[in-house]
Amino acid sequence: EPEVTQTPSHQVTQMGQEVILRCVPISNHLYFYWYRQILGQKVEFLVSFYNNEISEKSEIFDDQFSVERPDGSNFTLKIRSTKLEDSAMYFCASSTSLGVGELFFGEGSRLTVL
Amino acid sequence: AQKVTQAQTEISVVEKEDVTLDCVYETRDTTYYLFWYKQPPSGELVFLIRRNSFDEQNEISGRYSWNFQKSTSSFNFTITASQVVDSAVYFCALRRDFGNEKLTFGTGTRLTIIP
């Protein structure tokens, strides 16, 4: 069964460092998303991406964040200068263009900022 | 604005008991989609069900059932004969009826099944 894959599963970084989280969405999906979940809290929307551009972004997704689809398969989230409060689980998701389907989530990348 | 409320933060039941997880939503849209996701201790988000706002029929899948009541803006989830493997955080979510609209999640209910 096709699945969304994310790397790394866990990354530890120092405050102020740049981090890139990588995602490979399901191959025939056209809509891509990043969500984050601070430990023990709700899953929060960060950004949606379609046709090589951002469709929508939340207040959380400030200038420190960027997304890119550098080739036909990867979808990346970059945090330019990490802060302590960026520590969270980051989930990538994708969905098809056929109606309003469910989002398929990856297993998440846990980011720890020290 | 979209909002999903899961008032039950944590629930514990003894194995084999039935348990219902509540979900109340707010939306100004006439058409929308509702979802339930399961997050086991391993952390991934597992899709359970999607329900269109036009379809108010209750759905049953094995030990799982869902009760959608548009009149009360609720989409409750019942597990019958609960098992230890059902222990997880369960999220209710809402999505507008557009192609790439985001999911808006509730705060989740942590369900613990006691053996």
Side-chain angles (χ1 to χ4, degrees), chain A residues 34-108:
Chain A
W34 283 101
Y35 285 77
R36 82 168 184 194
Q37 184 183 31
I38 295 172
L39 186 62
Q41 298 187 22
K42 69 190 286 187
V43 181
E44 300 174 292
F45 169 75
L46 290 178
V47 65
S48 59
F49 191 86
Y50 169 71
N51 201 24
N52 283 320
E53 60 183 27
I54 290 174
S55 306
E56 185 179 358
K57 58 184 180 180
S58 71
E59 294 172 352
I60 304 167
F61 195 88
D62 61 22
D63 292 344
Q64 292 299 311
F65 290 89
S66 62
V67 289
E68 196 177 34
R69 189 154 161 82
D71 52 42
S73 59
N74 289 286
F75 179 51
T76 62
L77 174 68
K78 182 193 290 186
I79 309 175
R80 260 180 274 282
S81 177
T82 50
K83 303 187 282 283
L84 294 177
E85 54 265 37
D86 293 327
S87 294
M89 180 76 92
Y90 289 81
F91 290 101
C92 175
S94 68
S95 68
T96 70
S97 62
L98 300 176
V100 180
E102 63 268 28
L103 271 62
F104 291 84
F105 285 86
E107 295 195 343

Side-chain angles (χ1 to χ4, degrees), chain A residues 31 33 35 37 41-43 45 48 50 55-56 91 95 99-103 105-107, chain B residues 33 35 37 39 43-45 47 50 91 95-103 105-107:
Chain A
Y31 301 107
Y33 309 81
Y35 285 77
Q37 184 183 31
Q41 298 187 22
K42 69 190 286 187
V43 181
F45 169 75
S48 59
Y50 169 71
S55 306
E56 185 179 358
F91 290 101
S95 68
V100 180
E102 63 268 28
L103 271 62
F105 285 86
E107 295 195 343
Chain B
Y33 286 77
F35 300 79
Y37 281 84
Q39 186 175 43
E44 72 272 25
L45 288 165
F47 166 76
R50 176 188 67 195
F91 290 97
R95 192 178 185 196
R96 301 181 72 191
D97 188 10
F98 295 106
N100 66 335
E101 278 293 316
K102 63 181 182 290
L103 277 174
F105 283 87
T107 50

